[in-house]
Amino acid sequence: AVQVCRAVGFDMVLVETSGIGQGNDAITEVADFSLYVTTREYGAPSQLEKLAALDFADIVVLNKFDRPGAEDALKEIRKQFQRNREAFDQSPESMPVIPTIASQFADAGVDQLWERMASLLNDRFETEFTAAEPRLGEDGFPNREPPIPPERQGYLAEVAAAVRGYHERTDEASRAVRLVQQLEAAAEQMGASGKASAADDLAAEAAEIRSSVPAGAWEALGEFETMAEAYRSGQASYTVRGKDIPVRTTHETMSGTKVPRVALPTSEDWGERLGWIRRENAPGSFPFTGGVFPFRREDELPVRMFAGEGSAERTNKRYHFLSQDQGFNRLSVAFDSPSLYGNDPQERLDIFGKVCESGVSISTIDEMDR
């Protein structure tokens, strides 16, 4: 396979093994120079003595340098590399052991690795590979500040726990308000039957449980009654920037059937109502599972004209075509990859092929204006 790649003129061929571990250095028979990639998870420092790759590798890469313990691993590998080469007249820091964070976009460690590779290739084979100077941190290492700080790396678990806790409180409050409703109904029935003593006991128990329920639960049930009455009347309203906007709550089909735009629960059970309020609720109300707007606007179709290809002028022409004779103009822009990543269009190979592809190329204020 290497011979085929050379025959068709590739400048460089990278041969990746499936992992050679502590032996099998046959890769060195087909490679001009060898690169060994490892991580912190090699075990105790004594395990490094068994790694044959440290004997023949021209460059060693310590990837995942953002993981805890990576700096200690870097020192251990450099010391072992120095011992294997018996290069005691050189400092461990000068050994060709490069820390990288390959998962990090534009990682300075990967840039440093390429700089070292390019220099090695140019010296050994008189090639002309070029490399920019890596932008390392003040400590000489790639930036190790993760997007999510270590103390928040379990944030998804925190979110899940918060949601589970919310639903547990909902279930608890629903059971309590249902019990209050049942006790008050029983007290009323006992009072009507002339059993005043039992009615008083039931009412006292209901009052005690009612006081333990958060005030927000009773407020939510009261607001539900107000909302349900407005929906039943056929007219409701919501406020935008201090202005009340009336909305019809029913839609009449061609056959004359009136269909509610928002279906409210018909249950008389307070617990079921509270559960619905805290899990679903009407559109425009917390927890917004039905959307953030109370009702869909009637004066504008929810159609977004999505376009973007080539130059700013070409995309603008496309927008005019899409929105021609339409009573509304809702436009969304698709940018090409260089624009999305903040790169100017240029002849750099990894950029040039993406300019104007799958989107519009925008690199200046003037292009955005056009």
Side-chain angles (χ1 to χ4, degrees):
V2 173
Q3 294 296 335
V4 170
C5 292
R6 293 182 64 182
V8 297
F10 279 98
D11 298 314
M12 182 190 298
V13 182
L14 302 180
V15 182
E16 182 181 5
T17 72
S18 58
I20 57 176
Q22 298 176 355
N24 188 8
D25 58 357
I27 187 64
T28 59
E29 298 175 9
V30 298
D32 292 311
F33 84 93
S34 300
L35 180 74
Y36 176 58
V37 182
T38 185
T39 64
R40 173 67 184 88
E41 289 76 27
Y42 52 75
S46 59
Q47 295 297 319
L48 293 173
E49 299 175 7
K50 306 175 185 179
L51 290 178
L54 293 183
D55 290 324
F56 62 75
D58 295 284
I59 299 177
V60 177
V61 177
L62 176 61
N63 195 31
K64 301 181 181 178
F65 192 62
D66 53 334
R67 301 288 179 85
E71 289 191 41
D72 293 335
L74 181 63
K75 293 178 182 178
E76 294 167 1
I77 294 173
R78 282 175 170 174
K79 286 292 292 182
Q80 188 61 48
F81 194 96
Q82 182 191 42
R83 285 193 290 267
N84 289 2
R85 299 300 197 278
E86 296 186 356
F88 299 111
D89 58 332
Q90 304 174 42
S91 67
E93 289 73 24
S94 65
M95 297 296 106
V97 182
I98 312 298
T100 64
I101 309 173
S103 62
Q104 181 171 268
F105 182 75
D107 175 51
V110 175
D111 291 342
Q112 185 182 30
L113 170 61
W114 169 243
E115 181 188 42
R116 185 68 68 97
M117 286 177 60
S119 175
L120 186 62
L121 289 167
N122 293 341
D123 292 343
R124 191 174 297 183
F125 304 106
E126 297 182 355
T127 52
E128 296 181 355
F129 292 113
T130 60
E133 184 177 350
R135 291 177 290 186
L136 299 169
E138 295 181 358
D139 56 0
F141 297 139
N143 177 35
R144 299 184 298 286
E145 294 182 5
I148 302 171
E151 64 271 13
R152 293 302 311 279
Q153 286 184 357
Y155 75 100
L156 289 178
E158 294 175 15
V159 171
V163 173
R164 291 193 191 101
Y166 174 82
H167 288 311
E168 288 173 2
R169 293 192 300 274
T170 295
D171 293 339
E172 184 180 343
S174 296
R175 287 193 296 269
V177 298
R178 179 182 295 113
L179 185 55
V180 170
Q181 182 184 25
Q182 293 168 346
L183 288 170
E184 290 181 350
E188 184 177 347
Q189 178 62 31
M190 286 295 183
S193 301
K195 300 175 181 178
S197 177
D200 292 341
D201 291 341
L202 290 169
E205 181 69 15
E208 183 177 348
I209 297 175
R210 177 183 281 271
S211 64
S212 67
V213 177
W218 300 114
E219 293 173 3
L221 289 171
E223 291 170 359
F224 173 84
E225 290 290 351
T226 303
M227 177 177 62
E229 180 60 34
Y231 278 39
R232 283 192 291 266
S233 69
Q235 290 287 337
S237 64
Y238 61 95
T239 304
V240 176
R241 299 188 183 93
K243 180 181 178 182
D244 286 337
I245 301 176
V247 179
R248 293 195 310 273
T249 58
T250 58
H251 169 71
E252 188 170 339
T253 66
M254 295 178 65
S255 60
T257 303
K258 291 186 177 181
V259 180
R261 291 191 171 189
V262 177
L264 301 180
T266 57
S267 173
E268 296 293 329
D269 185 296
W270 290 357
E272 288 187 14
R273 286 187 182 182
L274 183 63
W276 178 84
I277 292 169
R278 286 178 58 85
R279 285 189 173 88
E280 298 183 46
N281 214 343
S285 301
F286 179 85
F288 305 105
T289 56
V292 297
F293 301 107
F295 292 94
R296 180 175 291 175
R297 290 179 57 173
E298 296 181 349
D299 60 339
E300 182 176 309
L301 290 176
V303 178
R304 282 193 172 89
M305 302 302 174
F306 187 76
E309 183 181 14
S311 66
E313 292 83 359
R314 181 176 178 180
T315 298
N316 180 265
K317 185 177 180 181
R318 175 69 175 168
Y319 279 134
H320 280 282
F321 171 76
L322 289 174
S323 59
Q324 185 177 0
D325 299 326
Q326 299 287 351
F328 50 85
N329 295 320
R330 273 185 151 183
L331 305 175
S332 293
V333 184
F335 295 108
D336 65 359
S337 296
S339 297
L340 289 174
Y341 284 106
N343 289 310
D344 290 333
Q346 53 183 289
E347 293 186 2
R348 218 177 81 183
L349 288 180
D350 59 333
I351 292 179
F352 186 73
K354 298 293 184 181
V355 176
C356 296
E357 181 185 84
S358 301
V360 56
S361 176
I362 298 293
S363 59
T364 66
I365 295 295
D366 288 338
E367 283 181 319
M368 192 70 215
D369 186 51
R370 291 197 297 274

